[in-house]
Amino acid sequence: GDQTPFEDLERNIKEWQGIVLLVCFGAFALFVVLIHRIIRTYIYYDAHLLDTFFDGGGDINFALIAAAVVAKWTWTTSFTWSTMEVQRFGLVGHFWFAAGSVIQLFLFAIVVCEIRIKAPGAKTYLQVIRARYGAVPHIVLMCFALFANIVIAGMVMTEGTRILTNLTEDLDHEVTAIILAIVIAFFTVVGGVGGGIYVSYFSAVLLLSIVLYYVCDVFFDPLGRDGNILGDKEEIYDLVKCGKADPDNDDYSALTFLSRDGMIQGILIILSSFSSIFVNQSFWQTGIAGKPVHSVWGFIMGGLVWFAVPFCSAYAFGMAYWALAIRDKGGVHFVIDDDVKNGLLPVYISWEL
């Protein structure tokens, strides 16, 4: 009876506002990729080459590669699943999610360096598989790559549209999915890998700005708003330390790092994330777009920066959730399980703030 379905809450965004937001993002992304295409056409004179479409010219610097890595590895689960881990296991949950998902980027940097040195003419890792192992392994890995992209795109699209439609009044899932698909496909086809990397730079800036805003808003309230529902960071700590998280946690604490179940979850995340990167063609193309040294440092820097996205966002959302649950609900989880599984926990906290 203390749990509130998110569908019962008032929507803060009108339908036309949600559509305008999506269209404006698409227009800005298209503007960026058109500038990139003009530069490649009239300065480098290689926009007409198919190779340029697949590697962006092959001279992308490490900072842009790092930004592309952050944008490509930031799925909706970077906010939703990591926050759900904090709700389940407490403080240790978001650490294992972030740490378990970043190790692969560091290891992938070694592989990208090798492929750029030993197969400098390759534009996809599937070309290397074909040349080294023959047709059958090439077809098998091609199927893996295709299925990986379908699963990832479907998951991100499904969860993204669900969050947008839950925030926006009277916005249909179908309309949202169609607009997102058209917007992303359009600027990808026009700009190729190089244009996508430049769009990723602005996406990474936006993502990190949003994360920084939420961390400051939850723990420091820099605007000093009237009716602050959380108080300051000391009050949040005093509330959360009274919480009872997973029974396997040390003393049931929501603030401990000693959690067997949390560690097992982290191991599962480490293992599953390998497939999401090593057969994901977009990561290979990002690495191939730069010189070997730029690709290596780009992935290392991208991994370090990306770690902050789920770590800080889940920390802010998760601690805010625990503070509200303990202060207002006596420690009872007040968001229904279906909404938590559907990734609406960060959305609920945003609505409360």
Side-chain angles (χ1 to χ4, degrees):
D2 294 326
Q3 293 184 322
T4 304
F6 191 85
E7 61 185 15
D8 293 343
L9 302 178
E10 181 183 357
R11 303 295 189 268
N12 294 328
I13 304 174
K14 302 297 183 184
E15 181 181 15
W16 68 268
Q17 293 173 325
I19 294 176
V20 168
L21 180 66
L22 294 174
V23 172
C24 287
F25 171 78
F28 177 75
L30 182 60
F31 174 73
V32 172
V33 300
L34 285 176
I35 291 178
H36 173 264
R37 190 171 182 85
I38 291 171
I39 291 173
R40 300 307 306 192
T41 301
Y42 296 104
I43 296 179
Y44 292 95
Y45 303 105
D46 61 357
H48 64 285
L49 299 177
L50 188 62
D51 285 352
T52 302
F53 185 85
F54 280 100
D55 67 1
D59 56 357
I60 304 295
N61 67 40
F62 75 95
L64 285 174
I65 291 176
V69 169
V70 172
K72 291 178 186 297
W73 201 217
T74 303
W75 304 348
T76 48
T77 53
S78 301
F79 301 99
T80 58
W81 189 5
S82 58
T83 305
M84 184 178 69
E85 296 295 281
V86 178
Q87 190 239 22
R88 291 176 60 194
F89 303 110
L91 196 61
V92 70
H94 74 302
F95 167 78
W96 275 114
F97 180 92
S101 301
V102 80
I103 296 172
Q104 301 79 6
L105 293 175
F106 300 148
L107 297 177
F108 192 76
I110 302 172
V111 182
V112 167
C113 181
E114 287 295 309
I115 196 173
R116 291 294 287 132
I117 292 173
K118 296 180 179 177
K123 303 304 176 187
T124 70
Y125 82 99
L126 297 172
Q127 289 178 306
V128 178
I129 298 297
R130 169 83 181 200
R132 177 65 179 83
Y133 299 105
V136 175
H138 176 255
I139 294 173
V140 172
L141 266 296
M142 190 163 54
C143 291
F144 282 170
L146 178 62
F147 291 149
N149 283 347
I150 291 174
V151 170
I152 292 169
M155 179 185 67
V156 173
M157 184 72 73
T158 302
E159 193 167 39
T161 54
R162 182 167 56 237
I163 291 173
L164 284 171
T165 52
N166 274 281
L167 281 171
T168 307
E169 183 180 351
D170 298 327
L171 185 62
D172 294 329
H173 286 269
E174 294 80 4
V175 173
T176 308
I178 290 172
I179 294 175
L180 280 175
I182 292 175
V183 164
I184 296 170
F186 200 59
F187 77 73
T188 302
V189 170
V190 172
V193 171
I197 288 176
Y198 281 94
V199 173
S200 297
Y201 171 80
F202 292 100
S203 299
V205 170
L206 180 61
L207 287 168
L208 293 171
S209 300
I210 292 172
V211 171
L212 182 62
Y213 172 81
Y214 272 108
V215 171
C216 293
D217 192 34
V218 169
F219 295 107
F220 302 102
D221 188 23
L223 300 179
R225 296 173 304 180
D226 294 333
N228 182 2
I229 63 172
L230 293 173
D232 55 23
K233 56 184 182 295
E234 286 80 11
E235 293 179 55
I236 295 175
Y237 171 77
D238 290 337
L239 289 169
V240 176
K241 73 178 181 181
C242 300
K244 299 296 182 183
D246 189 85
D248 191 63
N249 283 19
D250 183 46
D251 197 28
Y252 294 87
S253 174
L255 296 175
T256 184
F257 271 69
L258 300 177
S259 172
R260 185 178 66 100
D261 289 345
M263 183 180 67
I264 292 174
Q265 184 71 5
I267 293 172
L268 294 175
I269 291 172
I270 292 173
L271 296 176
S272 63
S273 295
F274 272 102
S275 61
S276 301
I277 290 181
F278 278 79
V279 296
N280 189 337
Q281 174 59 21
S282 65
F283 282 103
W284 288 95
Q285 286 186 298
T286 301
I288 290 171
K291 299 281 194 294
V293 64
H294 289 290
S295 296
V296 170
W297 283 112
F299 271 86
I300 292 174
M301 180 179 289
L304 292 173
V305 174
W306 179 86
F307 181 88
V309 174
F311 189 88
C312 294
S313 61
Y315 181 55
F317 290 130
M319 293 300 101
Y321 172 82
W322 275 100
L324 292 173
I326 294 167
R327 189 192 65 189
D328 298 338
K329 304 294 183 179
V332 176
H333 293 300
F334 59 91
V335 179
I336 64 174
D337 292 340
D338 287 343
D339 284 346
V340 173
K341 293 175 182 176
N342 288 333
L344 296 179
L345 195 55
V347 181
Y348 193 99
I349 298 301
S350 300
W351 185 89
E352 288 282 358
L353 292 174

